[in-house]
């Protein structure tokens, strides 16, 4: 995890996909107090795609992940106003161990999430919690909530024509193993031919069902979703899950599929 000086914290939070430290509240002269109409309006109007408020998301996430909200504030940068909330992983973390999530206030008064790393929260609190816990595992954090990370019901925000992903995995007698990925991938400006911004869910599973061992043991499940679009299966196993009911994923396979 990369550390950055306080005065650059907000800017790097806007431009980097990595978590960045938030000394902003204490070091930036452009930061204003936590009592602000911008903050109150943000809390009352901003919603995740499933309708959750920011306070609902923060409350739920803090119960399952290492996420301790610290303070709200408003900052000015390049003639734009930003609402931000700082947080730490542990209650006794020091000021230079804080992180920040920022939203830019658009000209029409709407709030646009500017911290790319936190974009999973737009899918709801479970997606953000999964991202945070997966990051804790990657960073070697003690007591990461693996039970939450491996609970299929927490992936029900991914929907298919057959139903919700978590329900389908349970019915298909699948258990989730490491690693788990819930990420937001911004389009790379130097790669115009690539896909645009999208969310991606990546899972490895073991399934107690008949089928090719390549898929039932360490099977790869990948779904992607662009803004305003439905989830689309990307891996072979994901396409089977989206096309057939649980228990019938490998009942019928074409010769080309068997070769693949």
């Amino acid at each position: 995890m990369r550390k950055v000086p306080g005065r650059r914290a907000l800017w790097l939070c806007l431009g980097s996909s990595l978590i960045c430290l938030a000394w902003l509240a204490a070091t930036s002269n452009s930061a204003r107090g936590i009592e602000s109409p911008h903050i109150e309006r943000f809390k009352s109007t901003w919603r995740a795609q499933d309708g959750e408020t920011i306070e609902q998301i923060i409350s739920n996430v803090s119960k399952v992940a290492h996420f301790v909200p610290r303070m709200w504030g408003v900052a000015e940068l390049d003639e734009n106003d930003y609402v931000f909330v700082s947080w730490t992983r542990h209650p006794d973390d020091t000021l230079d161990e804080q992180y920040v999530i920022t939203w830019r206030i658009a000209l029409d008064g709407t709030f646009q999430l500017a911290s790319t790393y936190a974009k999973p929260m737009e899918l709801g609190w479970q997606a953000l919690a999964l991202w945070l816990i997966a990051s804790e595992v990657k960073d070697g954090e003690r007591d990461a909530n693996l039970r939450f990370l491996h609970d299929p019901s927490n992936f029900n925000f991914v929907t298919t024509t057959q139903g919700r992903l978590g329900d389908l995995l349970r019915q298909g007698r699948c258990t989730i193993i490491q690693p788990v990925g819930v990420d937001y991938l911004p389009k790379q400006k130097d790669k115009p031919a690539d896909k645009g911004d999208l969310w991606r869910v990546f899972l490895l599973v073991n399934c107690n069902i008949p089928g090719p061992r390549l898929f039932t043991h360490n099977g790869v499940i990948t779904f992607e979703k662009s803004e305003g679009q439905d989830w689309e299966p990307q891996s072979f196993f994901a396409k089977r899950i989206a096309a057939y009911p649980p228990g019938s994923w490998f009942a019928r396979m074409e010769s080309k599929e068997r070769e693949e």
Side-chain angles (χ1 to χ4, degrees), residues 68-128:
V68 182
R70 288 301 189 183
M71 70 165 288
W72 286 92
V74 177
E76 237 180 88
L77 181 66
D78 295 336
E79 300 181 353
N80 290 309
D81 281 337
Y82 293 86
V83 170
F84 69 88
V85 60
S86 61
W87 62 278
T88 60
R89 279 185 171 173
H90 310 100
D92 56 351
D93 282 347
T94 59
L95 184 63
D96 63 350
E97 294 175 299
Q98 291 189 73
Y99 309 105
V100 68
I101 303 174
T102 57
W103 292 262
R104 185 175 69 86
I105 305 175
L107 294 177
D108 61 1
T110 58
F111 298 90
Q112 301 172 351
L113 186 57
S115 296
T116 305
Y117 82 87
K119 290 285 280 188
M121 77 159 51
E122 294 187 339
L123 302 175
W125 76 270
Q126 288 167 310
L128 178 61

Side-chain angles (χ1 to χ4, degrees), residues 158-178:
V158 179
T159 56
T160 76
T161 54
Q162 296 295 321
R164 296 180 180 275
L165 178 59
D167 295 339
L168 298 175
L169 292 177
R170 283 189 182 280
Q171 295 168 30
R173 303 198 301 276
C174 296
T175 56
I176 299 172
I177 58 177
Q178 288 295 101

Side-chain angles (χ1 to χ4, degrees), residues 16-36:
S16 173
S17 60
L18 301 174
I19 295 180
C20 56
L21 291 171
W23 266 30
L24 175 68
T27 61
S28 175
N29 293 330
S30 64
R32 302 200 290 272
I34 59 174
E35 297 297 331
S36 166

